[in-house]
């Protein structure tokens, strides 16, 4: 039999419940919102990294936050790169061996960061490009808004509208732009090809300058979209408690860049701004430059630490917070990356230290895998000058101090014998520690997956079912 509750006791219970609710609300408010805003195929060819590619909104973001000068992906290909960032696991661990629209998928979409954040009370929304699932519904976002083409003109206003809305819980907002993927935008007056210069691996010709001018036009549009989103964040009063993560998937879509394991493919822009030492408002010191080697794999554990959330044990990255707090100058002695399937199968692995880069190819090919390079003026120029007949070494070793563009292979140089042995050992230990299936032979594609013939020329040639 229940006893009647006195008015005083009822009042005390109500107060206790209210205090508990207030305490919970305060905890939720203390957790930062996460704004993950990403472009497609941009590398580091942007103004904040010193390149003649104007990006004033990203420049302002860098001046108010932290720019990582040596940030790398876990794979210089579209779906594997994004999947690794969002799961905190390398492609051969999370299962994303190739492109989502060609039939590849994660082993378990519950490993996506949104599910860890959801357990801590986060609301998740995807606006625009995702590229890790054929059907975005498989990922598990609370809200999904895809757009035809996922171009800036549609995605940025939708993200701004989301930010202007009411938010009862902290949010993880994933904003994906198609730009700067090919086909590029038409150059305007600010992208005059006569006064452009192509990226480092590409010769300076009229054709390649026109190619770069078009890339700059796409970068301008992408940056304008970033500006729309960041202005809405500011206007909504959310910037003080929002961690902004601006990055891209891999290098730009030119020969020897995207889909390559040199820094031209692995290197990515990474600019972060927000609470916890990432600057971003009054009382914070912004404009920090960090030269530590960091990986996309590090973002998942960083978010967990910043939001005071227990991180899953499967994560393969390291929190960046010791760098931000000034406790350490480095969190990695080495960075790893891989290629499996892109348009065509091209299995390769790489390890990078501050001094050396080692790349090993596992397909036995001795010539370029041309379908894995997007079509464009620069590719056509290379093809017309005999690119197909160029040889490709199975092992490559580059001294990043004296050869930062990775053009002189020292794998057969007797003076680099010790460095070669060391880097081989680093790569083999990682492959064994992560149970890389490539150690046991070629990687099979999932049922129904498609790929191009490596002996072909273009990714736009009809692919074949290989799984």
């Amino acid at each position: 039999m229940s006893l009647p509750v006195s008015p005083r006791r009822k009042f005390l219970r109500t107060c206790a419940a209210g205090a508990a609710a207030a305490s919970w609300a305060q905890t939720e408010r203390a957790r930062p919102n996460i704004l993950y805003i990403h472009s497609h195929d941009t590398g580091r060819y942007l103004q904040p990294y010193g390149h003649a590619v104007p990006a004033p909104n990203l420049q302002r973001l860098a001046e108010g936050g932290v720019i990582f000068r040596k940030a790398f992906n876990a794979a210089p290909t579209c779906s594997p790169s994004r999947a690794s960032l969002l799961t905190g696991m390398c492609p051969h661990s999370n299962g994303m061996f190739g492109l989502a629209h060609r039939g590849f998928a994660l082993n378990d979409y519950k490993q996506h960061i949104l599910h860890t954040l959801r357990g801590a009370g986060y609301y998740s929304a995807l606006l625009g490009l995702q590229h890790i699932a054929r059907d975005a519904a498989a990922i598990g976002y609370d809200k999904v808004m895809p757009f035809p083409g996922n171009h800036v003109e549609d995605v940025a206003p939708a993200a701004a509208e989301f930010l202007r809305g009411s938010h009862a819980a902290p949010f993880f907002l994933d904003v994906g732009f198609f730009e700067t993927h090919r086909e590029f935008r038409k150059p305007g007056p600010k992208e005059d090809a006569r006064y452009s210069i192509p990226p480092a691996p590409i010769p300076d010709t009229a054709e390649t300058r026109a190619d770069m001018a078009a890339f700059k036009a796409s970068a301008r549009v992408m940056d304008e979209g970033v500006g729309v989103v960041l202005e809405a964040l500011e206007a909504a009063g959310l910037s003080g408690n929002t961690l902004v993560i601006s990055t891209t998937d891999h290098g730009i879509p030119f020969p020897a860049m995207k889909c390559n394991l040199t820094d031209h493919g692995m290197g990515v822009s990474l600019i972060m701004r927000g609470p916890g030492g990432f600057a971003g408002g009054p009382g914070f010191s912004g404009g920090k430059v960090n030269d530590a080697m960091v990986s996309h794999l590090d973002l998942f554990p960083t978010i967990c630490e910043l939001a005071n959330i227990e991180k899953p044990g499967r994560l393969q990255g390291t929190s960046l917070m010791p760098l931000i707090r000034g406790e350490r100058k480095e969190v990695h002695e080495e960075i790893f990356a891989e290629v499996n399937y892109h348009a065509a199968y091209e299995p390769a692995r790489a390890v990078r230290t501050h001094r050396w880069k080692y790349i090993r190819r596992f397909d036995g090919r001795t010539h370029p895998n041309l379908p894995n390079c997007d079509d464009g003026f620069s590719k056509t120029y290379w093809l017309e000058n005999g690119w197909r007949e160029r040889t490709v070494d199975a092992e490559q070793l580059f001294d990043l101090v004296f050869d930062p563009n990775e053009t002189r292979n020292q794998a057969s140089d007797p003076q680099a014998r010790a460095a070669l042995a060391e880097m081989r050992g680093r790569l083999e230990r990682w492959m064994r520690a992560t149970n890389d299936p490539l150690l046991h032979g070629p990687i099979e594609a999932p049922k129904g997956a498609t790929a191009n013939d490596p002996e072909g020329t273009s990714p736009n040639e009809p692919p074949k079912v290989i799984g």
Side-chain angles (χ1 to χ4, degrees), residues 73-75 77 79-98 105-107 111 295-298 300 314-317 335-340 348-350 430-437 443:
N73 53 40
T77 57
S79 299
S81 171
R82 298 165 188 273
S84 295
L85 186 157
L86 292 165
T87 64
M89 302 163 67
C90 66
H92 67 255
S93 294
N94 64 37
M96 187 62 79
F97 288 104
L106 289 173
N107 292 330
Q111 293 176 339
S295 168
H296 271 166
L297 298 178
D298 300 330
F300 197 143
R314 64 178 180 272
L315 301 188
Q316 296 171 335
I335 295 285
F336 299 94
E338 65 187 88
V339 173
N340 298 292
R349 301 290 184 265
W430 172 73
M431 292 177 71
R432 294 193 181 281
T434 56
N435 195 27
D436 191 335
I443 294 172

Side-chain angles (χ1 to χ4, degrees), residues 99 102 258-259 342-346 365 367-375 379 383 387-388 451-462:
L99 302 177
R102 287 177 174 246
K258 174 181 177 178
C259 204
H342 190 59
Y345 183 50
E346 190 176 7
R365 290 178 52 80
H367 296 284
N369 193 318
L370 299 176
N372 282 344
C373 178
D374 292 356
D375 297 338
K379 179 177 180 178
L383 287 171
W387 187 23
R388 183 184 294 277
N452 288 72
D453 183 348
E455 295 295 330
T457 302
S458 169
N460 294 317
E461 294 166 349

Side-chain angles (χ1 to χ4, degrees), residues 2-70:
S2 60
L3 298 174
V5 179
S6 70
R8 183 174 185 276
R9 183 173 294 178
K10 185 175 182 179
F11 171 76
L12 291 175
R13 285 183 180 177
T14 302
C15 289
S23 175
W24 178 86
Q26 181 62 38
T27 299
E28 293 302 301
R29 280 196 298 270
R31 287 201 167 114
N33 303 308
I34 310 297
L35 171 56
Y36 164 50
I37 184 167
H38 48 100
S39 63
H40 207 344
D41 296 17
T42 312
R44 298 188 191 128
Y45 276 80
L46 294 165
Q47 178 184 357
Y49 286 86
H51 294 286
V53 181
N57 294 296
L58 287 173
Q59 180 68 28
R60 282 192 289 272
L61 184 67
E63 291 172 356
V66 182
I67 182 170
F68 293 88
R69 299 287 300 203
K70 293 184 176 67

Side-chain angles (χ1 to χ4, degrees), residues 380-462:
T380 298
Y381 183 80
W382 271 29
L383 287 171
E384 290 173 348
N385 285 275
W387 187 23
R388 183 184 294 277
E389 287 72 42
R390 302 280 292 182
T391 58
V392 176
D393 297 321
E395 284 189 298
Q396 293 175 307
L397 179 71
F398 301 109
D399 185 337
L400 300 176
V401 171
F402 295 103
D403 182 24
N405 280 321
E406 298 167 79
T407 60
R408 180 172 173 261
N409 184 10
Q410 294 187 247
S412 59
D413 187 340
Q415 293 185 340
R417 189 174 295 128
L420 178 63
E422 177 195 343
M423 298 300 282
R424 279 175 174 167
R426 287 178 183 268
L427 185 65
E428 183 175 348
R429 285 191 295 273
W430 172 73
M431 292 177 71
R432 294 193 181 281
T434 56
N435 195 27
D436 191 335
L438 196 55
L439 288 169
H440 310 296
I443 294 172
E444 294 185 5
K447 185 177 180 180
T450 63
N452 288 72
D453 183 348
E455 295 295 330
T457 302
S458 169
N460 294 317
E461 294 166 349

